[in-house]
Every structure is written in C-alpha cells, then in structure tokens.
C-alpha cells in the first residue's frame, strides 16, 4: 500500500477503454500519471489483468488469503483483493499455509494489473500491491503484443501514462500466494 500518492505509468498494451477508466480512477485517488518515462519517477507500472484474475473470474464462494502471523489458536490474515484495513484474525484451523516469513521485498517499481487501481477506487484506499503483481512472463507477453499491434498499424499507448517498464529497473517476480479459506 503506497504511503504517498503513487506515480503511475500505464503500459502501452492496456486497451484504450481500460486506460480511460484507469486514468479517471487514478485522478480520483490522487495518483500522478507519468507519460514521460523519467527513470526513478514512476512507482507503479499498470498492465492489463492476467487471465483468471479479473473480478468476474475471482468472485464466488472461495476467497484467498495470506497468513501474516499466528497467535495461539488465531491467525491474522490478509484477504486477497482487499485493502490492508480488512486484515483480521480468524480461527487457525480455517486457514491453510504457514505465516509469511519476514517482510515482503519492495521492488523499486511495482508492476501491477489494472484491477489494482480499480479496486483501490472501489475501496477508496490503496489496496496491497502484492495481490495484484503481474509476472515477468505476463509483462513480456504484454510487451510482445503491443509491439505486434504497432507493427500491424494499430495505435497503441496513446496519451498520458504510456510506456513499459522503466529502463534499467527490473520488476519483482510474482510472489507466491499463501493460504486459502472459504468465506460464507
């Protein structure tokens, strides 16, 4: 969860309608949009949503969580796709998986899916980036698709927030998920 308003760059592979929704949500949340690609200025690069992580694909009877700590018979968990303010204690026997060891590594630039911005607007607070990180493989495929679209004559990445990952900065790899629990 960013301590200050993040500075976003929207990857050029993001569809125009989605880009417009991200720009509107980011403005309402007070984020800055960086289309210039200045090294070190961007805190987050926003990519499309990987298959299987879109809202319609994750809503249902099962929610997932990361175990943060265990205190006796209770486990403190973080629910995926919810802000940290929703973290709480539940009975340990309802959670699979051990607590996360140590603090997560904070990359110089977060590479997240569009849902991170849109869920943040829904909750009116920045949600946890770990739930929305995209894999290096997904980023590479998104870049290849954008390059192919440009080669085919499509207009890609027009307007503020265009561009890929910052030069010289490597994105963090996708973090392992954790426990799962069914919520009624």
């Amino acid at each position: 969860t960013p301590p200050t308003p993040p500075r976003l760059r929207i990857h050029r592979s993001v569809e125009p309608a989605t880009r417009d929704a991200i720009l509107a949500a980011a403005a309402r949340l007070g984020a800055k949009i960086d289309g210039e690609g200045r090294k070190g200025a961007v805190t987050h690069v926003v990519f499309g949503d990987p298959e299987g992580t879109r809202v319609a694909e994750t809503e249902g009877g099962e929610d997932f969580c990361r175990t943060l700590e265990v205190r006796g018979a209770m486990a403190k968990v973080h629910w995926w796709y919810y802000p940290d303010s929703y973290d709480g204690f539940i009975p340990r026997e309802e959670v699979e998986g051990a607590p996360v060891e140590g603090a997560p590594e904070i990359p110089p630039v977060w590479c997240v899916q569009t849902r991170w911005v849109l869920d943040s607007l829904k909750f009116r607070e920045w949600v946890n980036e770990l739930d929305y990180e995209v894999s290096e493989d997904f980023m590479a495929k998104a870049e290849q698709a954008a390059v192919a679209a440009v080669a085919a004559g499509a207009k890609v990445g027009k307007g503020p927030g265009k561009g890929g990952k910052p030069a010289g900065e490597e994105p963090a790899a996708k973090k392992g998920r954790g426990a799962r629990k069914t919520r009624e």
Side-chain angles (χ1 to χ4, degrees):
T1 306
T4 59
R7 180 174 292 277
L8 310 179
R9 180 176 315 127
I10 302 171
H11 190 266
R12 64 186 180 159
S13 63
V14 174
E15 296 292 325
T18 304
R19 175 182 303 278
D20 292 344
I22 294 167
L23 290 170
R28 290 190 60 194
L29 290 162
K32 306 284 187 216
I33 302 296
D34 180 33
E36 303 303 315
R38 294 183 304 270
K39 185 176 179 182
V42 173
T43 60
H44 297 74
V45 177
V46 181
F47 287 80
D49 292 326
E51 191 170 319
T53 65
R54 296 173 188 99
V55 173
E57 298 167 329
T58 59
E59 289 182 344
E62 191 170 52
D63 281 339
F64 294 88
C65 61
R66 269 191 308 282
T67 304
L68 303 174
E69 67 177 281
V70 174
R71 290 188 193 168
M74 302 298 284
K76 184 175 184 182
V77 298
H78 169 78
W79 298 103
W80 294 358
Y81 306 122
Y82 287 86
D84 292 345
S85 62
Y86 282 65
D87 293 357
F89 284 91
I90 61 173
R92 175 71 182 112
E93 67 269 6
E94 293 183 22
V95 181
E96 298 171 12
V100 175
E101 297 283 330
E105 185 178 323
I106 307 299
V109 176
W110 287 100
C111 293
V112 295
Q113 64 186 90
T114 58
R115 184 174 175 181
W116 176 73
V117 178
L118 301 176
D119 281 359
S120 293
L121 181 62
K122 178 173 77 174
F123 290 108
R124 297 179 187 204
E125 63 181 287
W126 291 106
V127 292
N128 193 312
E129 292 96 332
L130 289 173
D131 303 341
Y132 301 87
E133 273 190 296
V134 294
S135 69
E136 289 184 27
D137 183 55
F138 181 82
M139 290 185 281
K141 287 178 183 176
E143 183 60 24
Q144 289 171 353
V147 168
V150 169
K155 293 183 178 185
V156 177
K158 299 297 178 190
K162 65 184 178 185
K165 69 179 183 180
E169 295 188 25
E170 290 300 316
K174 184 92 170 164
K175 302 292 187 270
R177 294 306 190 165
R180 69 170 63 189
K181 179 200 178 298
T182 302
R183 277 173 99 176
E184 279 91 270

